């Protein structure tokens, strides 16, 4: 029999709220089966668990959920992995370039902050000496 998980099982394993799990489901990242009266109980498969793991990995890389879904969904298509890898590489390259640009901006901001701190310290020393 295939391994299945409840929403609580996966939420606990990945340190998520059940609300976050339902959000990922609404985004189409997870597709649990429904059981019980009125289909109220979600039953997640090993595939859902893997998709959740990949989603969280994509989030750690800074990708949007839409980007994560596109990449993860591409692996559900035919066996030729070249198109999936090209898409994945394009998304990663684009994201890396954005992060590098942000890093340049942050470094410039830090340099400016350091300059202002240095000036403020010098003014403070002058003010204390004038007393």
């Amino acid at each position: 029999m295939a391994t299945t998980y409840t929403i609580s099982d996966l939420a606990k394993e990945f340190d998520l709220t059940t609300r976050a799990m339902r959000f990922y489901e609404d985004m189409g990242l997870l597709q649990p089966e429904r059981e019980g009266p009125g289909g109220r109980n979600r039953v997640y498969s090993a595939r859902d668990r893997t998709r959740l793991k990949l989603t969280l990995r994509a989030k750690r890389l800074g990708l949007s959920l839409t980007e994560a879904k596109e990449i993860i969904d591409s692996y559900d298509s035919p066996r030729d992995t070249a198109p999936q890898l090209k898409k994945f590489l394009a998304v990663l390259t684009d994201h890396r370039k954005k992060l590098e640009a942000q890093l340049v901006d942050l470094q410039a901001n830090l340099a400016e902050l350091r300059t202002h701190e240095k000036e403020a310290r010098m003014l403070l020393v002058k003010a204390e000496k004038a007393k």
Side-chain angles (χ1 to χ4, degrees):
M1 183 171 173
T3 303
T4 59
Y5 308 89
T6 66
I7 193 169
S8 298
D9 292 337
L10 291 180
K12 183 177 179 182
E13 178 180 350
F14 291 100
D15 194 26
L16 297 169
T17 63
T18 55
R19 182 177 180 186
M21 296 284 298
R22 290 188 296 274
F23 179 73
Y24 294 150
E25 182 181 344
D26 290 343
M27 292 286 297
L29 289 156
L30 304 174
Q31 299 166 339
E33 296 292 321
R34 299 296 188 128
E35 290 183 352
R40 291 178 44 98
N41 299 328
R42 292 168 171 84
V43 179
Y44 294 90
S45 65
R47 178 181 178 274
D48 288 312
R49 184 184 176 280
T50 299
R51 287 178 65 90
L52 179 58
K53 190 174 185 177
L54 292 172
T55 298
L56 297 175
R57 184 176 296 159
K59 278 187 63 183
R60 278 194 307 276
L61 290 172
L63 303 178
S64 71
L65 290 179
T66 302
E67 290 170 321
K69 184 178 182 325
E70 287 175 10
I71 292 168
I72 294 167
D73 285 349
S74 72
Y75 284 90
D76 287 338
S77 63
R79 296 181 189 263
D80 181 10
T81 59
Q84 293 96 337
L85 291 172
K86 286 178 184 176
K87 170 69 175 170
F88 185 53
L89 185 59
V91 169
L92 289 178
T93 299
D94 182 55
H95 190 65
R96 179 185 43 79
K97 288 177 181 178
K98 288 176 186 173
L99 287 175
E100 287 171 345
Q102 289 175 348
L103 181 59
V104 168
D105 289 343
L106 285 171
Q107 288 170 333
N109 286 343
L110 283 170
E112 187 175 349
L113 283 171
R114 287 183 188 109
T115 299
H116 290 302
E117 285 177 332
K118 185 177 178 181
E119 290 171 357
R121 283 189 184 98
M122 288 179 5
L123 290 171
L124 184 59
V125 168
K126 283 182 182 180
E128 289 175 354
K129 285 182 181 179
K131 286 183 181 179

